[in-house]
Amino acid sequence: YFLMYFSMLNLQVHGIVRRSSSFNTGRIEHLYKNSQAHIEGNMKLHYGDLTDSTCLVKIINEVKPNEIYNLGAQSHVKISFDLAEYTADVDGVGTLRLLDAIKTCGLINSVKFYQASTSELFGKVQEIPQKETTPFYPRSPYGAAKLYAYWIVVNFREAYNLFAVNGILFNHESPRRGANFVTRKISRSVAKIHLGQMDSFSLGNLDAKRDWGHARDYVE
């Protein structure tokens, strides 16, 4: 996720990245001032994790951001059934840790908080099309964890008057989409078949339906 600090002269973006034995910043290489040397310009990365309250408090207290965007999650629906407890810890309780860190650092009145919610909150849809008043009915550990995150954001907004909002986004696609998601799996596999590198590939539920848009439009 990203912490953003504004001043009258410039915009600084602070991101939190998990420690890994291999490079895991491939999707943001183009944002480095010098990607070959990993020299940062107005972007700075901090090692941290949504499962670690202490590091969140430390980083937020150091940066003192004006805006916080919680984009961190175990976001694969199918994998959430295999990693149910981890998904709940990161996606659900991780959001609580972030909000509590804002409160601990005394930034309730100065920070704007954005929570990346998901259309998976609707899960077993109760009406088509869905709208903000459509009842939630999550159908996965991922959806259930995100539902907790949604309501804890509402709770902090109403209990502490924190500027905190949930953005319920449907699937947003771009060339940076992970290769184990269906759109990238299809596009990459078709390219490999065209190049003679593979003959066929398999998919899961062919009856599943999704609406999606381009990530640039969702950012806007």
Side-chain angles (χ1 to χ4, degrees):
Y1 68 92
F2 291 89
L3 314 171
M4 303 189 72
Y5 171 77
F6 296 91
S7 72
M8 295 300 291
L9 298 177
N10 64 357
L11 166 67
Q12 296 177 3
V13 178
H14 294 257
I16 291 183
V17 60
R18 286 169 297 179
R19 169 71 178 91
S20 174
S21 58
S22 58
F23 288 113
N24 57 355
T25 56
R27 294 189 214 171
I28 59 172
E29 291 288 338
H30 64 293
L31 298 177
Y32 284 99
K33 183 178 179 181
N34 183 340
S35 59
Q36 299 299 316
H38 286 258
I39 296 174
E40 300 155 334
N42 285 337
M43 177 186 71
K44 178 176 176 58
L45 297 180
H46 306 260
Y47 284 115
D49 199 289
L50 286 170
T51 62
D52 189 334
S53 301
T54 302
C55 82
L56 297 179
V57 170
K58 179 180 177 182
I59 294 169
I60 290 175
N61 190 56
E62 174 188 340
V63 175
K64 289 184 171 55
N66 298 100
E67 298 183 1
I68 295 179
Y69 296 81
N70 182 20
L71 310 179
Q74 190 300 104
S75 60
H76 198 288
V77 175
K78 181 179 182 298
I79 292 175
S80 76
F81 285 92
D82 300 320
L83 300 176
E85 182 178 341
Y86 174 75
T87 301
D89 193 17
V90 173
D91 299 13
V93 183
T95 304
L96 171 61
R97 293 188 184 101
L98 257 183
L99 292 166
D100 204 44
I102 293 172
K103 180 173 174 284
T104 299
C105 294
L107 300 178
I108 285 286
N109 296 321
S110 60
V111 165
K112 292 182 177 181
F113 181 85
Y114 175 85
Q115 167 66 13
S117 284
T118 171
S119 59
E120 290 294 326
L121 295 178
F122 299 118
K124 184 178 179 181
V125 298
Q126 305 300 294
E127 60 182 352
I128 297 175
Q130 293 87 59
K131 50 186 182 290
E132 289 187 26
T133 57
T134 302
F136 296 136
Y137 200 139
R139 300 278 277 178
S140 67
Y142 169 73
K146 281 289 193 175
L147 183 58
Y148 174 86
Y150 174 94
W151 282 115
I152 202 64
V153 168
V154 172
N155 184 255
F156 266 70
R157 179 171 66 240
E158 296 180 350
Y160 302 108
N161 201 33
L162 172 68
F163 188 108
V165 296
N166 286 285
I168 304 176
L169 305 187
F170 284 71
N171 287 40
H172 30 293
E173 305 295 335
S174 84
R176 295 189 178 87
R177 172 63 106 174
N180 61 340
F181 287 83
V182 66
T183 45
R184 288 286 283 153
K185 181 177 181 180
I186 291 172
S187 60
R188 286 167 60 91
S189 297
V190 168
K192 289 180 180 180
I193 290 173
H194 177 73
L195 295 172
Q197 297 177 2
M198 62 187 299
D199 298 320
S200 63
F201 64 97
S202 61
L203 295 172
N205 181 11
L206 297 180
D207 295 322
K209 296 181 180 180
R210 284 289 186 273
D211 289 321
W212 65 66
H214 199 286
R216 286 181 182 273
D217 296 324
Y218 283 72
V219 171
E220 182 67 26

